[in-house]
Amino acid sequence: MKTALTVIGSLLCATPVVAADLRVSITDTSGKPVRDAVVTYEPAEGSAPVGIKAPYVMAQRDMNFTPYVLVVPAGATVSFPNQDAVSHHVYSFSPARKFQLPLYGGGLSRSLTFPTAGTVAIGCNIHDSMQAYIRVIDTAFYAQTDEKGVVTLTNLPSGAGDLVIWHPMSSAKGGETHLPLSVQGPIKPINVQLKIRRMAHAGGGY
């Protein structure tokens, strides 16, 4: 006669938890790799909160924001050090985080918390050519493409979910391309082609 413990053990063995890795390659319509694309996976049943790993920094250097795209979890604090010899006025009109960091000079820094997931376009009110983006996420499964346009998402849980590919210059609505994904075991690599708009000096008015 099987005990209750034996039955539970048998059920656990019969239905193992599946975790899979996913490789995503991203190119533009001409076949060139797309860097700075942010790939996230959002399980239908939700995922554990993203761990906040400080520090997150978007510097002003050589009259540019660096990095051009910064990925942070919701609730993270980002510092904005001015490493130039001139003053900058950092701002954003994006719904996910509207803010103003009034004019401050080289060697100074300001900090700001980003509580809500979404896209925040960053600009300088003095130098219109300066622009950057902060992508605020609320999933533990994410990666950002490098110059080869490739990312690997690891340990995706079994079940259905939504694969989201975002790039600031993507012509898709909100810069987001959504692909349904079902994780039932090993996943074949995915190749995604994005239509990329020309760079525009939009500043913080995303």
Side-chain angles (χ1 to χ4, degrees):
M1 181 177 180
K2 293 184 177 180
T3 65
L5 188 59
T6 302
V7 172
I8 292 174
S10 298
L11 288 173
L12 290 175
C13 291
T15 56
V17 176
V18 176
D21 296 344
L22 172 63
R23 185 178 187 272
V24 183
S25 299
I26 303 174
T27 61
D28 62 16
T29 53
S30 67
K32 295 180 180 179
V34 174
R35 67 175 304 162
D36 289 320
V38 180
V39 182
T40 56
Y41 177 66
E42 302 171 0
E45 296 183 357
S47 66
V50 188
I52 296 178
K53 300 178 181 179
Y56 292 101
V57 179
M58 178 166 282
Q60 300 141 59
R61 184 186 309 138
D62 298 327
M63 303 294 288
N64 286 294
F65 288 110
T66 181
Y68 173 60
V69 172
L70 177 66
V71 185
V72 304
T77 297
V78 178
S79 62
F80 295 84
N82 183 354
Q83 299 173 357
D84 281 331
V86 298
S87 297
H88 294 297
H89 180 129
V90 183
Y91 76 100
S92 177
F93 293 145
S94 299
R97 189 62 164 102
K98 297 179 181 180
F99 69 89
Q100 299 273 348
L101 299 178
L103 201 66
Y104 59 102
L108 300 177
S109 183
R110 300 289 185 268
S111 296
L112 200 67
T113 300
F114 292 78
T116 306
T119 301
V120 182
I122 309 294
C124 175
N125 205 27
I126 307 301
H127 310 99
D128 290 342
S129 63
M130 295 176 63
Q131 63 176 334
Y133 298 85
I134 296 178
R135 180 69 170 173
V136 187
I137 61 170
D138 57 4
T139 176
F141 309 104
Y142 69 96
Q144 183 174 348
T145 58
D146 57 14
E147 65 277 0
K148 295 181 180 179
V150 177
V151 298
T152 299
L153 302 181
T154 60
N155 295 319
L156 302 185
S158 59
D162 186 27
L163 187 70
V164 182
I165 300 165
W166 171 87
H167 190 274
M169 294 298 110
S170 170
S171 63
K173 183 178 180 180
E176 296 182 352
T177 298
H178 292 254
L179 300 173
L181 183 67
S182 180
V183 180
Q184 303 297 337
I187 314 171
K188 293 182 179 179
I190 295 176
N191 299 317
V192 179
Q193 190 176 80
L194 299 181
K195 185 177 181 180
I196 301 296
R197 297 180 283 111
R198 289 185 178 182
M199 293 289 289
H201 297 312
Y206 184 88

